[in-house]
Amino acid sequence: MRSAAGKWLWSGISLIPVVGVLAVLLSRQKWQYLCVRFDWRWLAGAAFLSFLYWSVRVARWRWMTALEGLRIDRSSAWCSMLAGLGAGLITPMRIGEVVRPIFVPKGARLRLVGSVVIERMFDLSGVLTLGVLGVIYMVFSGLLLTTGRRVPVWLLLVAPLLLAVALSVPLLVHYRPRGLWRIAGRILPGRAKQLAETRLSWRQFGIFYTVSLVAEAVGILAVFFCLRAFGPISIITATTLAPVVVLTNLLPAGPGGLGIREGTAALVIGAFGFSQEMVLAGYLSNTLIMLVIPGAAGVAAAWIAGVMKTGRPERSEA
């Protein structure tokens, strides 16, 4: 009881700096200018892209559970995926998504935790791949020449390095160095040793990486739709800069990166001549459509499913 209360207290405290950052950013903007340019049809398109994004990820989640011998139906897959998202939104870097396997039938939950960690690394690899392509495009296209901006040298060096690090974990799982796995087997306590049993073939590597690229590309396109709803911006500019903003997800600060992501977007995209009002409104809308609403729906569905499961025996016994 005390540990649960402590977790909720910590989650509440972690929200304070987020609320502070957003309050300062939002209070400095002139929102009346957005009403003239607002077009709800772009947000409707972003909602469709959100459904497409999560459909792709749910399909991969069902494939992941099938690899462990678990067959779950679509409703259970959607519920567990979005409930895990809801848990991830209250933790830095969305690490809370590792609780997703508790919403599926028992059997290989612990190994699925390892698969979720690998999945998150592939998602990071997908974002970094698109980010590296975006940086290359900014360097060799006229985008920077027309704005007079320069790509920082550290970004040119760090982006490929981060991509290599993100891919190194799945590659280690594929090659499984004996010495490293022997050490992992000794360090991991009890049943957690099953985490070291996770295997990854080249075919599975390709499926993970391809799905991550497709899903993250859809997510970045949704960012463009949300920005376009509040002002003019080209698809090339939006999809080139959005992956750079997503790199803030690496920072272990704030629940789900909320506040940090929006502030970074205002600085990065605002540096190219776009109003901070448009950027903040677009990114807040994107967070609401892509993360908050699906996460809340998943938590509610998991809670209702739990109530129904616990309620049936009580009714039958009565």
Side-chain angles (χ1 to χ4, degrees):
M1 188 70 178
R2 290 182 179 179
S3 63
K7 291 179 181 178
W8 281 107
L9 179 61
W10 175 251
S11 298
I13 293 175
S14 64
L15 282 173
I16 295 177
V18 172
V19 173
V21 170
L22 288 177
V24 172
L25 286 172
L26 298 178
S27 64
R28 295 179 177 179
Q29 312 307 321
K30 299 178 181 179
W31 299 107
Q32 61 271 23
Y33 297 111
L34 290 180
C35 299
V36 180
R37 296 175 291 184
F38 174 69
D39 189 346
W40 65 269
R41 292 172 295 183
W42 289 99
L43 293 185
F48 171 76
L49 290 175
S50 175
F51 174 75
L52 181 60
Y53 172 84
W54 289 111
S55 296
V56 171
R57 294 202 58 186
V58 167
R60 181 174 61 182
W61 175 232
R62 294 188 70 194
W63 171 75
M64 290 165 58
T65 58
L67 292 178
E68 298 296 339
L70 297 177
R71 300 286 181 177
I72 60 175
D73 55 33
R74 286 186 176 84
S75 60
S76 298
W78 274 95
C79 180
S80 58
M81 170 63 74
L82 297 184
L85 169 66
L89 290 179
I90 62 174
T91 57
M93 300 174 64
R94 284 169 51 185
I95 57 176
E97 283 197 40
V98 296
V99 305
R100 193 192 311 163
I102 71 173
F103 299 102
V104 302
K106 294 181 180 180
R109 288 180 176 178
L110 202 55
R111 289 197 300 274
L112 278 174
V113 170
S115 298
V116 172
V117 173
I118 294 172
E119 178 196 47
R120 294 294 297 153
M121 296 303 297
F122 272 111
D123 289 342
L124 175 59
S125 302
V127 170
L128 289 170
T129 300
L130 297 175
V132 170
L133 294 176
V135 170
I136 293 173
Y137 177 82
M138 284 191 291
V139 172
F140 293 101
S141 72
L143 180 61
L144 295 175
L145 296 177
T146 56
T147 59
R149 303 290 176 181
R150 293 183 178 180
V151 176
V153 176
W154 64 266
L155 188 59
L156 294 174
L157 298 175
V158 169
L161 180 61
L162 289 175
L163 177 59
V165 172
L167 287 174
S168 65
V169 174
L171 286 173
L172 285 174
V173 174
H174 170 74
Y175 286 110
R176 299 172 63 86
R178 292 183 179 179
L180 180 61
W181 249 243
R182 191 181 302 112
I183 294 174
R186 294 174 180 174
I187 295 177
L188 293 175
R191 295 179 62 189
K193 296 181 185 296
Q194 296 179 32
L195 292 175
E197 298 176 7
T198 305
R199 294 179 178 274
L200 195 65
S201 67
W202 278 121
R203 178 177 175 273
Q204 294 165 354
F205 187 100
I207 292 175
F208 265 117
Y209 190 49
T210 301
V211 173
S212 291
L213 279 176
V214 172
E216 297 306 326
V218 172
I220 289 172
L221 187 60
V223 171
F224 162 69
F225 273 55
C226 290
L227 290 172
R228 188 64 182 81
F230 296 96
I233 185 173
S234 70
I235 186 172
I236 293 297
T237 302
T239 55
T240 299
L241 297 176
V244 179
V245 176
V246 177
L247 294 179
T248 56
N249 291 343
L250 297 172
L251 300 175
L258 185 65
I260 307 299
R261 177 174 53 252
E262 288 75 16
T264 304
L267 291 175
V268 173
I269 302 179
F272 284 79
F274 299 97
S275 67
Q276 288 193 352
E277 292 89 351
M278 184 191 83
V279 177
L280 287 173
Y283 264 84
L284 286 173
S285 300
N286 182 262
T287 300
L288 187 66
I289 293 172
M290 296 290 293
L291 298 176
V292 175
I293 292 177
V299 171
W303 181 77
I304 293 173
V307 170
M308 292 175 63
K309 288 178 181 178
T310 55
R312 285 173 185 168
E314 293 174 0
R315 288 196 294 269
S316 62
E317 288 174 5

